[in-house]
Amino acid sequence: MRSALPTLALLAGGLATRMRPLTESVPKSLLSVDGEPFLAHQLWLLVEQGIKDVVICCGHLGEQIETFAGDGSRFGCRIRYSYDGDTLLGTGGTLRRALALLGGSFFVMYGDSYLLADPMRAWKAFLACGKPALMTVLRNDDQWEASNVVMRNGIVISYDKHRHSPDMRYIDYGFSVIQASVLAGWPDGERFDLADVMTGLTVEGKLAAHEVYGRFYEIGSPEGFNATEKMLRSLRKSMESELLEPVGCGR
């Protein structure tokens, strides 16, 4: 039996400027991907992976997200919401705002990501690592996007989203585990980036790394959107074909 997984914070409050004009009146999470709002695809996958408690951190057009997803019951999970308020708080500030809903340790994932790696493996790695935070990393070698992580012996020793160096062979996969204490010291209501928090942890040797395999999918850019829709469409057609296969065709 799989043990219970922690709450997942889904970061869905950004302005999604790379996807304009589509996101001027619709939040990125609700863009239609293969005939369904992207958030529906995410939630179905998360529930299949064993995650049953989700906090959606909302900002830009967040009320539309809550109207669509509701309490999560139709997806098989519980959903609660945390709103930035009048000023967007950034990926770190929005997590700080939501801390009361997240528990002692929690997963973090971006609202434009579709990630096939097993969360249970990441959770077990976190419990065993003895660090206050864990980042999943993918050997990337600049294939999907610019690599931004140096990882050695299960520890992230360098992480920088803006300055690339030749020894960065890995990329932040977009799924992390964080103890609430990491963010509790940051001021509530102020804007800051989760990347700055993670970079600070690397300097202190406090950020564990868990390697995953297989590419990430995302809808944060037109290219990523097209690749993700192609993958989901292919997956759907494969499942439909399996359902149509005759059963018990003995002679």
Side-chain angles (χ1 to χ4, degrees):
M1 179 181 295
R2 291 170 69 98
S3 58
L5 291 172
T7 300
L8 179 136
L10 190 64
L11 303 176
L15 295 174
T17 55
R18 288 188 295 171
M19 292 302 292
R20 288 179 177 171
L22 296 176
T23 51
E24 289 178 350
S25 59
V26 177
K28 182 166 51 176
S29 293
L30 297 187
L31 291 178
S32 180
V33 181
D34 191 33
E36 295 282 353
F38 181 67
L39 178 58
H41 292 290
Q42 282 186 310
L43 293 172
W44 288 326
L45 177 62
L46 291 171
V47 169
E48 182 181 331
Q49 291 173 329
I51 293 172
K52 300 299 177 65
D53 192 32
V54 177
V55 172
I56 302 181
C57 299
C58 297
H60 177 59
L61 304 175
E63 295 81 4
Q64 292 185 32
I65 294 174
E66 184 168 2
T67 297
F68 169 74
D71 64 2
S73 56
R74 67 190 177 100
F75 298 100
C77 62
R78 176 175 74 158
I79 299 178
R80 293 168 292 163
Y81 299 86
S82 177
Y83 285 87
D84 282 6
D86 294 335
T87 302
L88 296 182
L89 298 176
T91 51
T94 197
L95 285 172
R96 176 63 182 86
R97 172 62 55 85
L99 275 189
L101 302 175
L102 296 175
S105 299
F106 51 90
F107 290 137
V108 179
M109 181 174 134
Y110 294 100
D112 60 3
S113 297
Y114 192 89
L115 306 176
L116 297 171
D118 185 1
M120 179 59 75
R121 290 180 178 271
W123 179 237
K124 289 181 176 179
F126 171 72
L127 294 176
C129 74
K131 304 292 184 183
L134 176 144
M135 174 187 289
T136 57
V137 299
L138 173 70
R139 181 67 177 263
N140 179 60
D141 292 317
D142 295 330
Q143 181 178 6
W144 307 115
E145 294 181 13
S147 299
N148 53 27
V149 171
V150 179
M151 184 268 286
R152 294 197 188 109
N153 301 318
I155 301 293
V156 177
I157 64 170
S158 178
Y159 172 58
D160 197 317
K161 295 175 67 174
H162 307 292
R163 292 187 295 273
H164 179 72
S165 64
D167 55 346
M168 287 178 169
R169 311 296 297 275
Y170 291 85
I171 191 169
D172 175 7
Y173 181 71
F175 191 92
S176 300
V177 194
I178 302 176
Q179 287 182 0
S181 58
V182 169
L183 292 164
W186 290 74
D188 186 16
E190 291 192 13
R191 180 184 177 88
F192 62 95
D193 194 335
L194 179 60
D196 295 332
V197 177
M198 295 302 216
T199 299
L201 290 172
T202 66
V203 173
E204 299 173 356
K206 294 182 177 180
L207 183 58
H210 171 65
E211 186 171 1
V212 299
Y213 305 91
R215 67 160 295 179
F216 56 87
Y217 290 91
E218 49 81 20
I219 63 163
S221 66
E223 298 79 13
F225 183 99
N226 291 335
T228 300
E229 184 165 54
K230 180 179 179 181
M231 178 273 298
L232 288 170
R233 182 177 294 123
S234 175
L235 181 62
R236 173 178 55 80
K237 289 181 177 180
S238 175
M239 293 175 64
E240 289 173 351
S241 296
E242 290 179 6
L243 290 173
L244 292 173
E245 294 238 348
V247 178
C249 294
R251 299 188 181 183

